[in-house]
């Protein structure tokens, strides 16, 4: 449909919502509000206050660009080009996964361990602490940790230079760029350390099931950030092999896992010599993080 500029904003919301729902999109009502809001450049309150006004030519033109993207199952965050994570705003690019709320569990785990005094000689603001984030993508984990630990330094690692450019922009936009550096490499190749901790949300989906995921993920997210090989565990094997020689004694490794990978990833940690291996659960009570220390 070509949005009608003479329709009121309220009526346009209804039209957009019905089109999205007809395309099988469960979040049609929320997405309609986000799309119309973006098209008219309004805040959430503006959208309520100006509901009786006509959409207008400029907003109708913008909506005509945005709506087909969502109908093609592009994730909302990709259409808007940004996503909130841990209370901060992150720019996205085609090379970066959209930061998920699930991954906040991983950030919280690292913060709990640091603030709980797990690292000898490191205080709650992470003074003097250094860590590495493998597969940093948009930099969401790296930047959120640096923001919460004003004394810490971090290295963001990714195979994709395009992702690293996005991560660098996010570090600058969130005011932590003076405390991080970026390296394009595979896992920890060429990275020395030693670090107080290493964190990663690696690709962990079994290669064979990626195409069966929801279209927002299967068709629009970077495969490099999802594909964990035949059994989904390739990245954990590589990380468990490379991490021990880059950690300080007493340092820890924390990784996000898929909801059914707790047992196998814990075993990999055990075989790699990690101790005090623990699982951390998301708000739904599912184990989504494995961590262990040297
Ligand atoms: N949790 C992501 C998804 O739903 C996968 C992220 C990953 O492989 N690291 O698709």
């Amino acid at each position: 449909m070509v949005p009608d500029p003479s329709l009121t904003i309220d009526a346009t919301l209804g039209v957009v919502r019905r089109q999205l729902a007809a395309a099988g999109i469960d979040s049609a009502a929320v997405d309609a509000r986000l799309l119309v809001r973006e098209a008219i450049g309004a805040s959430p309150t503006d959208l309520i206050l100006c509901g009786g006004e006509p959409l207008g030519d400029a907003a109708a033109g913008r909506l005509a660009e945005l709506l087909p993207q969502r109908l093609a199952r592009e994730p909302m965050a990709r259409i808007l080009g940004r996503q909130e994570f841990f209370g901060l705003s992150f720019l996205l690019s085609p090379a970066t996964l959209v930061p998920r709320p699930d991954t906040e569990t991983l950030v919280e785990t690292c913060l709990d361990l640091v603030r709980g005094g797990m690292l000898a000689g490191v205080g709650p603001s992470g003074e003097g602490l250094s860590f590495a984030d493998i597969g940093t993508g948009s930099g969401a984990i790296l930047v959120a940790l640096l923001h919460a630990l004003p004394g810490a330094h971090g290295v963001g690692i990714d195979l994709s230079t395009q992702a690293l450019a996005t991560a660098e922009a996010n570090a600058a936009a969130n005011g932590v760029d003076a405390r991080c550096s970026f390296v394009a490499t595979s896992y920890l190749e060429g990275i020395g350390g030693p670090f107080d901790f290493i964190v990663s949300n690696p690709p962990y989906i079994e290669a064979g099931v990626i195409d069966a995921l929801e279209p927002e993920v299967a068709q629009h997210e970077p495969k490099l950030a999802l594909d964990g090989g035949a059994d989904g565990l390739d990245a954990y094997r590589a990380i468990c092999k490379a991490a021990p020689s880059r950690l300080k004694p007493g340092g820890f490794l924390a990784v996000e896992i898929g909801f059914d990978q707790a047992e196998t990833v814990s075993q990999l940690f055990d075989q790699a010599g990690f101790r005090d291996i623990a699982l951390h659960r998301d708000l739904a009570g599912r184990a989504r993080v494995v961590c262990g220390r040297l």
Side-chain angles (χ1 to χ4, degrees):
M1 77 110 194
V2 179
D4 176 352
S6 65
L7 271 190
T8 64
I9 287 167
D10 275 345
T12 307
L13 276 172
V15 172
V16 171
R17 178 172 40 78
R18 283 190 291 279
Q19 285 204 40
L20 294 173
I25 296 172
D26 293 338
S27 51
V30 175
D31 293 357
R33 299 192 75 76
L34 289 170
L35 289 169
V36 172
R37 199 168 103 193
E38 183 76 4
I40 62 179
S43 71
T45 5
D46 287 347
L47 196 60
I48 297 165
L49 295 177
C50 64
E53 291 172 21
L55 182 63
D57 288 329
R62 183 90 184 95
L63 191 55
E65 289 167 17
L66 298 172
L67 182 54
Q69 295 177 49
R70 188 66 191 106
L71 289 171
R73 304 301 289 265
E74 183 114 4
M76 267 319 300
R78 288 201 174 285
I79 299 171
L80 302 178
R82 58 183 185 272
Q83 172 71 31
E84 284 254 320
F85 178 80
F86 223 75
L88 302 172
S89 182
F90 288 87
L91 302 168
L92 304 176
S93 74
T96 62
L97 199 71
V98 177
R100 298 355 192 195
D102 315 38
T103 304
E104 295 186 345
T105 304
L106 180 59
V107 174
E108 269 158 11
T109 298
C110 294
L111 290 177
D112 286 350
L113 292 174
V114 172
R115 290 172 176 161
M118 150 85 110
L119 300 169
V122 174
S125 69
E127 210 61 48
L129 175 161
S130 80
F131 69 95
D133 175 18
I134 302 175
T136 196
S138 65
I141 298 168
L142 174 81
V143 172
L145 285 170
L146 288 172
H147 193 264
L149 298 170
H153 282 73
V155 182
I157 300 162
D158 210 288
L159 258 185
S160 160
T161 49
Q162 197 190 355
L164 288 177
T166 306
E168 243 178 307
N170 283 321
N174 288 294
V176 299
D177 48 322
R179 292 186 287 118
C180 57
S181 56
F182 295 91
V183 184
T185 191
S186 174
Y187 298 105
L188 293 164
E189 264 175 56
I191 307 273
F195 300 103
D196 292 284
F197 70 88
I198 296 172
V199 62
S200 183
N201 172 18
Y204 55 68
I205 311 286
E206 290 173 31
V209 309
I210 293 178
D211 286 343
L213 298 176
E214 54 187 19
E216 280 81 353
V217 178
Q219 291 164 27
H220 297 279
E221 293 278 52
K223 291 279 186 296
L224 186 64
L226 299 171
D227 187 346
D231 64 357
L233 300 170
D234 283 359
Y236 300 116
R237 288 189 197 94
I239 291 170
C240 282
K241 193 165 168 222
S245 62
R246 273 78 164 201
L247 280 171
K248 296 180 188 170
F252 68 86
L253 169 66
V255 298
E256 178 170 314
I257 56 166
F259 68 92
D260 57 356
Q261 293 172 322
E263 205 172 312
T264 40
V265 176
S266 300
Q267 277 165 12
L268 291 172
F269 269 53
D270 185 49
Q271 287 158 12
F274 288 95
R275 60 196 169 90
D276 299 338
I277 299 165
L279 302 175
H280 293 258
R281 296 177 188 280
D282 63 14
L283 292 175
R286 291 180 306 197
R288 297 301 307 280
V289 168
V290 176
C291 74
R293 64 193 302 198
L294 275 190

